[in-house]
Amino acid sequence: AQSVAQPEDQVNVAEGNPLTVKCTYSVSGNPYLFWYVQYPNRGLQFLLKYITGDNLVKGSYGFEAEFNKSQTSFHLKKPSALVSDSALYFCAVRDGNTGFQKLVFGTGTRLLVSP
Amino acid sequence: EAGVTQFPSHSVIEKGQTVTLRCDPISGHDNLYWYRRVMGKEIKFLLHFVKESKQDESGMPNNRFLAERTGGTYSTLKVQPAELEDSGVYFCASSQGRGSETQYFGPGTRLLVL
């Protein structure tokens, strides 16, 4: 069975500093990995995904994530944080070897960017 | 292009009552998914439609939940009778076809059962 761990409930960073939101996963087949963001009173917005190819994936709003197979990680990063990046971030995984398309999510990490 | 829409945005009902949630996927998307987030925990999968057929309903918690997608367009999720533990945010998502397509989520319906 698939699982996702987001070890930090909250990440605090000052505006302009780099940010990292951690995610590790467990899946028996090929991992399809996703990051979503939820702003207050909004739905989930897709940020980026890794399916295959280059381990460094670039997404919306300047975010990127690095797939690390040996460490089973898919950390979300941004070189310079903005106050407007403050939101709830979810990592998700899907087993690419099965016909089932359900996503398994982590518990979410709240990012707070201070001015 | 319109995104995934959900109705209502909020619903407050009493234990034992019935509630029906509606989801309209992105036009042309064959795949429709229901998820929910209970008590601020992780978002959990409920079920997956391909057009009007249930592809995977392994996440449905019990027989008080009934999902339909007649005609392969919009979907409804009915909870009857509602229990306190059903409170949470119900998300709908859609994707275009098979494979690695991204699932696009709606804004969610916040359900509170008193």
Side-chain angles (χ1 to χ4, degrees):
Chain A
Q2 304 99 288
S3 66
V4 171
Q6 293 183 243
E8 302 152 318
D9 289 337
Q10 183 165 308
V11 170
N12 298 304
V13 65
E15 187 173 35
N17 284 357
L19 69 87
T20 298
V21 182
K22 296 179 180 177
C23 170
T24 57
Y25 67 90
S26 174
V27 65
S28 56
N30 283 332
Y32 290 1
L33 293 154
F34 302 81
W35 275 102
Y36 287 86
V37 59
Q38 186 179 23
Y39 296 101
N41 299 316
R42 303 285 295 275
L44 294 170
Q45 292 184 30
F46 168 73
L47 276 180
L48 51 80
K49 67 181 179 183
Y50 171 83
I51 304 300
T52 186
D54 194 346
N55 289 345
L56 184 63
V57 178
K58 294 187 183 296
S60 307
Y61 313 120
F63 284 93
E64 58 188 30
E66 186 167 11
F67 170 65
N68 187 316
K69 187 174 182 179
S70 62
Q71 297 186 4
T72 62
S73 68
F74 189 58
H75 301 331
L76 182 69
K77 300 181 179 183
K78 187 173 183 181
S80 179
L82 300 173
V83 172
S84 57
D85 292 331
S86 298
L88 188 57
Y89 291 79
F90 290 95
C91 181
V93 69
R94 190 199 132 196
D95 189 338
N97 282 14
T98 73
F100 297 108
Q101 297 184 28
K102 67 178 181 182
L103 295 177
V104 173
F105 284 85
T107 51
T109 298
R110 186 165 301 280
L111 173 66
L112 287 177
V113 182
S114 55
Chain B
E1 178 182 272
V4 177
T5 57
Q6 294 186 244
F7 182 83
S9 59
H10 296 79
S11 180
V12 181
I13 61 173
E14 293 188 352
K15 176 182 173 181
Q17 289 185 322
T18 297
V19 63
T20 300
L21 313 181
R22 173 172 170 145
C23 169
D24 287 78
I26 294 172
S27 178
H29 281 194
D30 287 339
N31 295 282
L32 188 149
Y33 314 82
W34 284 98
Y35 293 83
R36 73 172 179 177
R37 188 175 189 226
V38 174
M39 296 284 291
K41 297 184 179 179
E42 68 269 26
I43 300 167
K44 287 195 172 182
F45 168 82
L46 295 177
L47 88 160
H48 169 207
F49 283 100
V50 178
K51 296 184 180 179
E52 68 274 10
S53 299
K54 293 176 184 175
Q55 175 77 4
D56 180 2
E57 51 184 330
S58 61
M60 294 289 266
N62 51 62
N63 58 11
R64 295 185 294 104
F65 289 75
L66 175 64
E68 295 180 324
R69 192 182 182 196
T70 306
T73 54
Y74 71 91
S75 174
T76 58
L77 179 64
K78 180 189 291 186
V79 185
Q80 179 182 29
E83 298 289 344
L84 300 180
E85 63 265 26
D86 300 333
S87 297
V89 181
Y90 289 76
F91 292 103
C92 176
S94 71
S95 69
Q96 198 161 18
R98 300 180 64 184
S100 59
E101 286 81 5
T102 300
Q103 295 180 24
Y104 295 95
F105 282 75
T109 293
R110 283 160 178 75
L111 175 64
L112 179 60
V113 183
L114 301 176

Short mmCIF file of all heavy atoms in Angstrom, two decimals, chain A residues 32 34 36 38 40-46 49 51 88 90 94 99-108 110, chain B residues 31 33 35 37 40-43 45 48 55-56 58 91 95 97-107 110:
data_model
loop_
_atom_site.label_atom_id
_atom_site.label_comp_id
_atom_site.label_asym_id
_atom_site.label_seq_id
_atom_site.Cartn_x
_atom_site.Cartn_y
_atom_site.Cartn_z
N TYR A 32 4.33 7.92 -8.89
CA TYR A 32 3.90 9.16 -9.52
C TYR A 32 3.67 10.13 -8.35
O TYR A 32 2.85 9.85 -7.47
CB TYR A 32 2.60 8.99 -10.30
CG TYR A 32 2.69 8.17 -11.56
CD1 TYR A 32 3.87 7.59 -11.99
CD2 TYR A 32 1.56 7.98 -12.36
CE1 TYR A 32 3.94 6.85 -13.16
CE2 TYR A 32 1.61 7.24 -13.53
CZ TYR A 32 2.81 6.67 -13.92
OH TYR A 32 2.86 5.92 -15.07
N PHE A 34 3.10 14.08 -6.63
CA PHE A 34 2.41 15.35 -6.87
C PHE A 34 2.54 16.27 -5.65
O PHE A 34 2.59 15.80 -4.51
CB PHE A 34 0.91 15.12 -7.12
CG PHE A 34 0.61 14.20 -8.27
CD1 PHE A 34 0.66 12.83 -8.11
CD2 PHE A 34 0.26 14.72 -9.50
CE1 PHE A 34 0.39 11.97 -9.16
CE2 PHE A 34 -0.03 13.88 -10.57
CZ PHE A 34 0.03 12.50 -10.40
N TYR A 36 0.39 19.66 -4.19
CA TYR A 36 -0.77 20.56 -4.28
C TYR A 36 -0.67 21.61 -3.18
O TYR A 36 -0.09 21.37 -2.13
CB TYR A 36 -2.08 19.79 -4.11
CG TYR A 36 -2.47 18.92 -5.27
CD1 TYR A 36 -1.99 17.62 -5.40
CD2 TYR A 36 -3.34 19.40 -6.25
CE1 TYR A 36 -2.37 16.82 -6.46
CE2 TYR A 36 -3.73 18.60 -7.32
CZ TYR A 36 -3.25 17.32 -7.42
OH TYR A 36 -3.63 16.52 -8.47
N GLN A 38 -3.07 24.53 -0.94
CA GLN A 38 -4.42 25.01 -0.59
C GLN A 38 -4.30 26.34 0.12
O GLN A 38 -3.75 26.42 1.22
CB GLN A 38 -5.15 24.01 0.30
CG GLN A 38 -6.59 24.41 0.57
CD GLN A 38 -7.32 23.41 1.43
OE1 GLN A 38 -6.71 22.65 2.18
NE2 GLN A 38 -8.64 23.42 1.34
N PRO A 40 -6.20 29.67 1.91
CA PRO A 40 -7.36 29.75 2.80
C PRO A 40 -8.68 29.86 2.02
O PRO A 40 -8.77 30.66 1.09
CB PRO A 40 -7.08 31.02 3.62
CG PRO A 40 -5.60 31.12 3.64
CD PRO A 40 -5.14 30.62 2.30
N ASN A 41 -9.63 29.03 2.42
CA ASN A 41 -10.97 29.04 1.82
C ASN A 41 -10.96 28.76 0.32
O ASN A 41 -11.86 29.18 -0.40
CB ASN A 41 -11.67 30.38 2.09
CG ASN A 41 -11.83 30.63 3.57
OD1 ASN A 41 -12.23 29.75 4.33
ND2 ASN A 41 -11.50 31.83 4.01
N ARG A 42 -9.93 28.06 -0.13
CA ARG A 42 -9.85 27.69 -1.53
C ARG A 42 -9.68 26.18 -1.65
O ARG A 42 -9.40 25.49 -0.68
CB ARG A 42 -8.67 28.40 -2.20
CG ARG A 42 -8.71 29.91 -2.10
CD ARG A 42 -9.72 30.52 -3.04
NE ARG A 42 -9.36 30.31 -4.42
CZ ARG A 42 -8.52 31.09 -5.11
NH1 ARG A 42 -7.94 32.11 -4.54
NH2 ARG A 42 -8.28 30.82 -6.37
N GLY A 43 -9.80 25.68 -2.86
CA GLY A 43 -9.57 24.26 -3.10
C GLY A 43 -8.10 23.97 -3.29
O GLY A 43 -7.24 24.83 -3.13
N LEU A 44 -7.81 22.73 -3.64
CA LEU A 44 -6.43 22.31 -3.90
C LEU A 44 -6.01 22.76 -5.29
O LEU A 44 -6.71 22.51 -6.27
CB LEU A 44 -6.31 20.80 -3.81
CG LEU A 44 -6.54 20.17 -2.44
CD1 LEU A 44 -6.63 18.68 -2.55
CD2 LEU A 44 -5.43 20.56 -1.48
N GLN A 45 -4.85 23.38 -5.36
CA GLN A 45 -4.31 23.78 -6.65
C GLN A 45 -3.08 22.94 -6.97
O GLN A 45 -2.20 22.78 -6.12
CB GLN A 45 -3.93 25.26 -6.64
CG GLN A 45 -5.10 26.20 -6.53
CD GLN A 45 -4.66 27.65 -6.61
OE1 GLN A 45 -3.66 27.96 -7.26
NE2 GLN A 45 -5.38 28.52 -5.96
N PHE A 46 -3.00 22.43 -8.17
CA PHE A 46 -1.87 21.63 -8.61
C PHE A 46 -0.64 22.51 -8.77
O PHE A 46 -0.70 23.59 -9.37
CB PHE A 46 -2.22 20.94 -9.93
CG PHE A 46 -1.05 20.32 -10.63
CD1 PHE A 46 -0.49 19.15 -10.16
CD2 PHE A 46 -0.53 20.89 -11.78
CE1 PHE A 46 0.58 18.55 -10.81
CE2 PHE A 46 0.53 20.31 -12.45
CZ PHE A 46 1.09 19.15 -11.96
N LYS A 49 4.36 17.86 -10.74
CA LYS A 49 4.33 16.41 -10.61
C LYS A 49 5.61 15.81 -11.19
O LYS A 49 6.26 16.40 -12.06
CB LYS A 49 3.11 15.82 -11.34
CG LYS A 49 3.14 15.98 -12.85
CD LYS A 49 1.88 15.39 -13.48
CE LYS A 49 1.89 15.58 -15.01
NZ LYS A 49 0.64 15.08 -15.64
N ILE A 51 6.64 12.16 -12.96
CA ILE A 51 6.19 10.87 -13.48
C ILE A 51 7.41 10.06 -13.92
O ILE A 51 7.60 8.91 -13.52
CB ILE A 51 5.23 11.05 -14.67
CG1 ILE A 51 4.03 11.93 -14.25
CG2 ILE A 51 4.76 9.70 -15.21
CD1 ILE A 51 3.21 11.37 -13.12
N LEU A 88 -1.24 25.92 2.84
CA LEU A 88 -1.14 24.52 3.26
C LEU A 88 -0.72 23.69 2.05
O LEU A 88 -1.35 23.77 0.99
CB LEU A 88 -2.49 24.05 3.79
CG LEU A 88 -2.60 22.68 4.45
CD1 LEU A 88 -1.63 22.57 5.62
CD2 LEU A 88 -4.03 22.47 4.94
N PHE A 90 0.29 19.99 0.29
CA PHE A 90 0.07 18.55 0.36
C PHE A 90 0.91 17.83 -0.68
O PHE A 90 0.90 18.20 -1.86
CB PHE A 90 -1.41 18.21 0.10
CG PHE A 90 -2.35 18.62 1.19
CD1 PHE A 90 -3.03 19.82 1.10
CD2 PHE A 90 -2.56 17.80 2.28
CE1 PHE A 90 -3.91 20.21 2.10
CE2 PHE A 90 -3.44 18.18 3.29
CZ PHE A 90 -4.11 19.39 3.19
N ARG A 94 0.93 8.21 -6.19
CA ARG A 94 0.09 7.22 -6.85
C ARG A 94 1.00 6.12 -7.35
O ARG A 94 2.13 6.39 -7.78
CB ARG A 94 -0.65 7.88 -8.01
CG ARG A 94 -1.73 7.03 -8.64
CD ARG A 94 -2.09 7.53 -10.02
NE ARG A 94 -2.12 6.42 -10.95
CZ ARG A 94 -2.10 6.54 -12.26
NH1 ARG A 94 -2.02 7.73 -12.80
NH2 ARG A 94 -2.13 5.48 -13.02
N GLY A 99 -3.60 -0.05 -12.25
CA GLY A 99 -4.61 0.66 -13.02
C GLY A 99 -5.41 1.63 -12.19
O GLY A 99 -6.21 2.40 -12.71
N PHE A 100 -5.18 1.61 -10.88
CA PHE A 100 -5.93 2.49 -9.99
C PHE A 100 -5.28 3.86 -9.93
O PHE A 100 -4.08 3.97 -9.78
CB PHE A 100 -6.03 1.88 -8.60
CG PHE A 100 -6.78 0.59 -8.58
CD1 PHE A 100 -6.13 -0.62 -8.38
CD2 PHE A 100 -8.15 0.57 -8.79
CE1 PHE A 100 -6.82 -1.81 -8.38
CE2 PHE A 100 -8.85 -0.63 -8.79
CZ PHE A 100 -8.18 -1.82 -8.59
N GLN A 101 -6.08 4.89 -10.00
CA GLN A 101 -5.55 6.24 -10.11
C GLN A 101 -5.69 7.04 -8.82
O GLN A 101 -5.44 8.24 -8.83
CB GLN A 101 -6.24 6.98 -11.25
CG GLN A 101 -5.98 6.33 -12.61
CD GLN A 101 -6.57 7.11 -13.75
OE1 GLN A 101 -6.73 8.31 -13.70
NE2 GLN A 101 -6.94 6.40 -14.82
N LYS A 102 -6.08 6.37 -7.74
CA LYS A 102 -6.29 7.14 -6.52
C LYS A 102 -4.98 7.71 -6.01
O LYS A 102 -3.92 7.08 -6.09
CB LYS A 102 -6.92 6.27 -5.44
CG LYS A 102 -6.03 5.15 -4.92
CD LYS A 102 -6.74 4.38 -3.82
CE LYS A 102 -5.87 3.27 -3.25
NZ LYS A 102 -6.59 2.50 -2.21
N LEU A 103 -5.07 8.94 -5.50
CA LEU A 103 -3.93 9.59 -4.88
C LEU A 103 -3.97 9.33 -3.37
O LEU A 103 -5.02 9.37 -2.76
CB LEU A 103 -3.96 11.09 -5.12
CG LEU A 103 -3.81 11.55 -6.58
CD1 LEU A 103 -3.94 13.06 -6.67
CD2 LEU A 103 -2.49 11.08 -7.16
N VAL A 104 -2.78 9.09 -2.81
CA VAL A 104 -2.64 8.97 -1.36
C VAL A 104 -1.90 10.22 -0.90
O VAL A 104 -0.79 10.50 -1.39
CB VAL A 104 -1.89 7.70 -0.97
CG1 VAL A 104 -1.60 7.68 0.52
CG2 VAL A 104 -2.69 6.47 -1.39
N PHE A 105 -2.50 10.94 0.03
CA PHE A 105 -1.96 12.23 0.45
C PHE A 105 -1.26 12.12 1.81
O PHE A 105 -1.59 11.28 2.65
CB PHE A 105 -3.09 13.25 0.60
CG PHE A 105 -3.60 13.80 -0.70
CD1 PHE A 105 -4.57 13.12 -1.42
CD2 PHE A 105 -3.11 14.99 -1.20
CE1 PHE A 105 -5.06 13.63 -2.61
CE2 PHE A 105 -3.58 15.50 -2.40
CZ PHE A 105 -4.56 14.82 -3.10
N GLY A 106 -0.34 13.05 2.03
CA GLY A 106 0.20 13.28 3.36
C GLY A 106 -0.77 14.15 4.16
O GLY A 106 -1.80 14.58 3.66
N THR A 107 -0.39 14.43 5.39
CA THR A 107 -1.26 15.19 6.30
C THR A 107 -1.17 16.69 6.07
O THR A 107 -1.94 17.44 6.66
CB THR A 107 -0.91 14.89 7.75
OG1 THR A 107 0.50 15.05 7.94
CG2 THR A 107 -1.30 13.45 8.12
N GLY A 108 -0.26 17.12 5.22
CA GLY A 108 -0.15 18.53 4.92
C GLY A 108 0.87 19.25 5.79
O GLY A 108 1.09 18.89 6.96
N ARG A 110 1.87 23.26 6.87
CA ARG A 110 1.51 24.68 6.77
C ARG A 110 2.79 25.49 6.64
O ARG A 110 3.70 25.38 7.47
CB ARG A 110 0.72 25.11 8.01
CG ARG A 110 0.19 26.54 7.89
CD ARG A 110 -0.88 26.82 8.93
NE ARG A 110 -2.03 25.91 8.83
CZ ARG A 110 -3.01 26.04 7.95
NH1 ARG A 110 -3.00 27.04 7.08
NH2 ARG A 110 -4.01 25.20 7.93
N ASN B 31 -12.63 11.12 -16.12
CA ASN B 31 -12.38 10.64 -14.77
C ASN B 31 -12.89 11.63 -13.73
O ASN B 31 -12.62 12.84 -13.84
CB ASN B 31 -10.89 10.41 -14.55
CG ASN B 31 -10.35 9.31 -15.42
OD1 ASN B 31 -10.52 8.13 -15.14
ND2 ASN B 31 -9.70 9.69 -16.50
N TYR B 33 -13.27 11.96 -9.39
CA TYR B 33 -12.86 11.37 -8.11
C TYR B 33 -13.51 12.14 -6.96
O TYR B 33 -13.72 13.34 -7.04
CB TYR B 33 -11.34 11.48 -7.92
CG TYR B 33 -10.52 11.08 -9.12
CD1 TYR B 33 -10.30 11.98 -10.16
CD2 TYR B 33 -9.93 9.82 -9.20
CE1 TYR B 33 -9.53 11.62 -11.25
CE2 TYR B 33 -9.16 9.47 -10.29
CZ TYR B 33 -8.96 10.37 -11.32
OH TYR B 33 -8.19 10.02 -12.40
N TYR B 35 -12.84 12.74 -2.79
CA TYR B 35 -11.94 12.62 -1.65
C TYR B 35 -12.58 13.37 -0.48
O TYR B 35 -13.48 14.19 -0.66
CB TYR B 35 -10.59 13.29 -1.93
CG TYR B 35 -9.73 12.66 -2.99
CD1 TYR B 35 -9.94 12.95 -4.34
CD2 TYR B 35 -8.70 11.79 -2.66
CE1 TYR B 35 -9.13 12.38 -5.32
CE2 TYR B 35 -7.88 11.22 -3.63
CZ TYR B 35 -8.11 11.52 -4.95
OH TYR B 35 -7.31 10.96 -5.91
N ARG B 37 -11.47 15.21 3.59
CA ARG B 37 -10.51 15.50 4.64
C ARG B 37 -11.30 15.68 5.92
O ARG B 37 -12.11 16.60 6.04
CB ARG B 37 -9.69 16.75 4.33
CG ARG B 37 -8.54 16.96 5.32
CD ARG B 37 -7.68 18.14 4.93
NE ARG B 37 -6.47 18.18 5.76
CZ ARG B 37 -6.00 19.28 6.33
NH1 ARG B 37 -6.61 20.44 6.16
NH2 ARG B 37 -4.90 19.22 7.05
N GLY B 40 -9.13 17.71 9.91
CA GLY B 40 -7.83 18.26 9.63
C GLY B 40 -6.75 17.24 9.37
O GLY B 40 -5.56 17.55 9.42
N LYS B 41 -7.14 16.02 9.11
CA LYS B 41 -6.16 14.97 8.85
C LYS B 41 -5.85 14.91 7.35
O LYS B 41 -6.06 15.87 6.64
CB LYS B 41 -6.71 13.64 9.34
CG LYS B 41 -6.93 13.60 10.85
CD LYS B 41 -7.38 12.23 11.29
CE LYS B 41 -7.56 12.19 12.80
NZ LYS B 41 -8.04 10.86 13.27
N GLU B 42 -5.27 13.79 6.92
CA GLU B 42 -4.91 13.70 5.52
C GLU B 42 -6.16 13.60 4.64
O GLU B 42 -7.23 13.22 5.10
CB GLU B 42 -3.99 12.50 5.25
CG GLU B 42 -4.64 11.14 5.42
CD GLU B 42 -4.52 10.59 6.81
OE1 GLU B 42 -4.40 11.39 7.77
OE2 GLU B 42 -4.54 9.36 6.95
N ILE B 43 -6.00 13.94 3.40
CA ILE B 43 -7.06 13.84 2.42
C ILE B 43 -7.13 12.38 1.98
O ILE B 43 -6.13 11.80 1.56
CB ILE B 43 -6.77 14.76 1.22
CG1 ILE B 43 -6.67 16.21 1.68
CG2 ILE B 43 -7.84 14.58 0.15
CD1 ILE B 43 -6.08 17.15 0.65
N PHE B 45 -8.97 9.24 -0.27
CA PHE B 45 -9.72 8.84 -1.46
C PHE B 45 -11.00 8.13 -1.07
O PHE B 45 -11.03 7.31 -0.14
CB PHE B 45 -8.83 7.92 -2.29
CG PHE B 45 -9.52 7.19 -3.41
CD1 PHE B 45 -9.73 7.82 -4.63
CD2 PHE B 45 -9.94 5.88 -3.25
CE1 PHE B 45 -10.34 7.15 -5.67
CE2 PHE B 45 -10.55 5.21 -4.27
CZ PHE B 45 -10.76 5.83 -5.49
N HIS B 48 -13.65 6.56 -7.53
CA HIS B 48 -13.23 7.01 -8.86
C HIS B 48 -14.22 6.50 -9.90
O HIS B 48 -14.50 5.31 -9.97
CB HIS B 48 -11.81 6.48 -9.13
CG HIS B 48 -11.34 6.62 -10.55
ND1 HIS B 48 -10.41 5.77 -11.10
CD2 HIS B 48 -11.65 7.53 -11.52
CE1 HIS B 48 -10.18 6.13 -12.35
NE2 HIS B 48 -10.90 7.19 -12.62
N GLN B 55 -14.91 2.85 -11.15
CA GLN B 55 -13.65 2.15 -11.41
C GLN B 55 -13.05 1.61 -10.12
O GLN B 55 -12.45 0.54 -10.11
CB GLN B 55 -12.66 3.10 -12.07
CG GLN B 55 -11.28 2.55 -12.29
CD GLN B 55 -11.19 1.61 -13.47
OE1 GLN B 55 -12.18 1.42 -14.19
NE2 GLN B 55 -10.06 1.01 -13.69
N ASP B 56 -13.18 2.39 -9.06
CA ASP B 56 -12.57 2.03 -7.78
C ASP B 56 -13.38 2.71 -6.68
O ASP B 56 -13.46 3.92 -6.64
CB ASP B 56 -11.11 2.52 -7.76
CG ASP B 56 -10.38 2.19 -6.45
OD1 ASP B 56 -10.98 1.54 -5.55
OD2 ASP B 56 -9.22 2.61 -6.32
N SER B 58 -12.94 1.64 -3.38
CA SER B 58 -12.32 1.04 -2.21
C SER B 58 -12.27 1.96 -1.00
O SER B 58 -12.10 1.51 0.12
CB SER B 58 -10.89 0.58 -2.56
OG SER B 58 -10.10 1.69 -2.96
N PHE B 91 -13.88 16.83 -1.29
CA PHE B 91 -13.32 17.36 -2.52
C PHE B 91 -13.68 16.47 -3.69
O PHE B 91 -13.71 15.26 -3.58
CB PHE B 91 -11.78 17.43 -2.43
CG PHE B 91 -11.25 18.44 -1.46
CD1 PHE B 91 -10.76 18.05 -0.23
CD2 PHE B 91 -11.22 19.79 -1.78
CE1 PHE B 91 -10.24 18.97 0.67
CE2 PHE B 91 -10.71 20.72 -0.89
CZ PHE B 91 -10.23 20.31 0.33
N SER B 95 -9.95 14.33 -14.13
CA SER B 95 -8.79 14.26 -15.02
C SER B 95 -9.26 13.75 -16.36
O SER B 95 -10.33 13.15 -16.49
CB SER B 95 -7.69 13.36 -14.45
OG SER B 95 -8.10 12.00 -14.44
N GLY B 97 -7.93 11.52 -18.87
CA GLY B 97 -7.94 10.15 -19.37
C GLY B 97 -7.11 9.24 -18.50
O GLY B 97 -6.91 9.49 -17.33
N ARG B 98 -6.61 8.17 -19.06
CA ARG B 98 -5.84 7.21 -18.30
C ARG B 98 -4.39 7.66 -18.20
O ARG B 98 -3.94 8.55 -18.88
CB ARG B 98 -5.90 5.84 -18.97
CG ARG B 98 -7.30 5.29 -19.08
CD ARG B 98 -7.29 3.94 -19.76
NE ARG B 98 -6.55 2.97 -18.97
CZ ARG B 98 -6.32 1.72 -19.37
NH1 ARG B 98 -6.72 1.32 -20.55
NH2 ARG B 98 -5.65 0.88 -18.59
N GLY B 99 -3.67 7.03 -17.29
CA GLY B 99 -2.24 7.31 -17.21
C GLY B 99 -1.88 8.33 -16.17
O GLY B 99 -2.44 8.37 -15.09
N SER B 100 -1.00 9.21 -16.53
CA SER B 100 -0.37 10.08 -15.54
C SER B 100 -1.01 11.46 -15.48
O SER B 100 -0.41 12.40 -14.97
CB SER B 100 1.10 10.24 -15.88
OG SER B 100 1.24 10.78 -17.18
N GLU B 101 -2.22 11.56 -15.96
CA GLU B 101 -2.85 12.87 -15.99
C GLU B 101 -3.04 13.46 -14.60
O GLU B 101 -3.32 12.75 -13.65
CB GLU B 101 -4.22 12.78 -16.69
CG GLU B 101 -4.13 12.61 -18.18
CD GLU B 101 -3.88 11.16 -18.58
OE1 GLU B 101 -3.87 10.30 -17.69
OE2 GLU B 101 -3.68 10.91 -19.78
N THR B 102 -2.90 14.75 -14.55
CA THR B 102 -3.09 15.47 -13.30
C THR B 102 -4.57 15.49 -12.93
O THR B 102 -5.43 15.66 -13.79
CB THR B 102 -2.58 16.91 -13.47
OG1 THR B 102 -1.20 16.87 -13.80
CG2 THR B 102 -2.80 17.72 -12.20
N GLN B 103 -4.84 15.34 -11.66
CA GLN B 103 -6.19 15.51 -11.14
C GLN B 103 -6.37 16.96 -10.70
O GLN B 103 -5.56 17.48 -9.92
CB GLN B 103 -6.43 14.56 -9.97
CG GLN B 103 -6.39 13.09 -10.39
CD GLN B 103 -6.62 12.14 -9.23
OE1 GLN B 103 -7.23 12.49 -8.22
NE2 GLN B 103 -6.15 10.91 -9.39
N TYR B 104 -7.43 17.59 -11.19
CA TYR B 104 -7.72 18.98 -10.86
C TYR B 104 -8.89 18.99 -9.87
O TYR B 104 -9.93 18.41 -10.13
CB TYR B 104 -8.05 19.77 -12.12
CG TYR B 104 -6.86 19.88 -13.04
CD1 TYR B 104 -6.69 18.99 -14.10
CD2 TYR B 104 -5.88 20.86 -12.84
CE1 TYR B 104 -5.58 19.06 -14.92
CE2 TYR B 104 -4.77 20.94 -13.67
CZ TYR B 104 -4.63 20.04 -14.70
OH TYR B 104 -3.52 20.11 -15.51
N PHE B 105 -8.66 19.70 -8.79
CA PHE B 105 -9.61 19.67 -7.67
C PHE B 105 -10.55 20.85 -7.68
O PHE B 105 -10.21 21.96 -8.10
CB PHE B 105 -8.85 19.65 -6.34
CG PHE B 105 -8.30 18.29 -6.01
CD1 PHE B 105 -7.19 17.79 -6.66
CD2 PHE B 105 -8.91 17.51 -5.03
CE1 PHE B 105 -6.68 16.54 -6.36
CE2 PHE B 105 -8.40 16.25 -4.71
CZ PHE B 105 -7.30 15.76 -5.39
N GLY B 106 -11.74 20.61 -7.15
CA GLY B 106 -12.69 21.67 -6.90
C GLY B 106 -12.44 22.32 -5.56
O GLY B 106 -11.54 21.92 -4.82
N PRO B 107 -13.25 23.33 -5.21
CA PRO B 107 -13.05 24.08 -3.97
C PRO B 107 -13.47 23.32 -2.72
O PRO B 107 -13.13 23.72 -1.61
CB PRO B 107 -13.91 25.33 -4.17
CG PRO B 107 -14.97 24.89 -5.11
CD PRO B 107 -14.34 23.88 -6.02
N ARG B 110 -17.76 21.97 2.55
CA ARG B 110 -17.54 21.81 3.99
C ARG B 110 -18.82 21.33 4.63
O ARG B 110 -19.82 22.04 4.64
CB ARG B 110 -17.08 23.14 4.59
CG ARG B 110 -15.64 23.44 4.30
CD ARG B 110 -15.28 24.90 4.45
NE ARG B 110 -13.87 25.12 4.21
CZ ARG B 110 -13.30 25.12 3.01
NH1 ARG B 110 -14.04 24.93 1.93
NH2 ARG B 110 -12.01 25.31 2.88
#
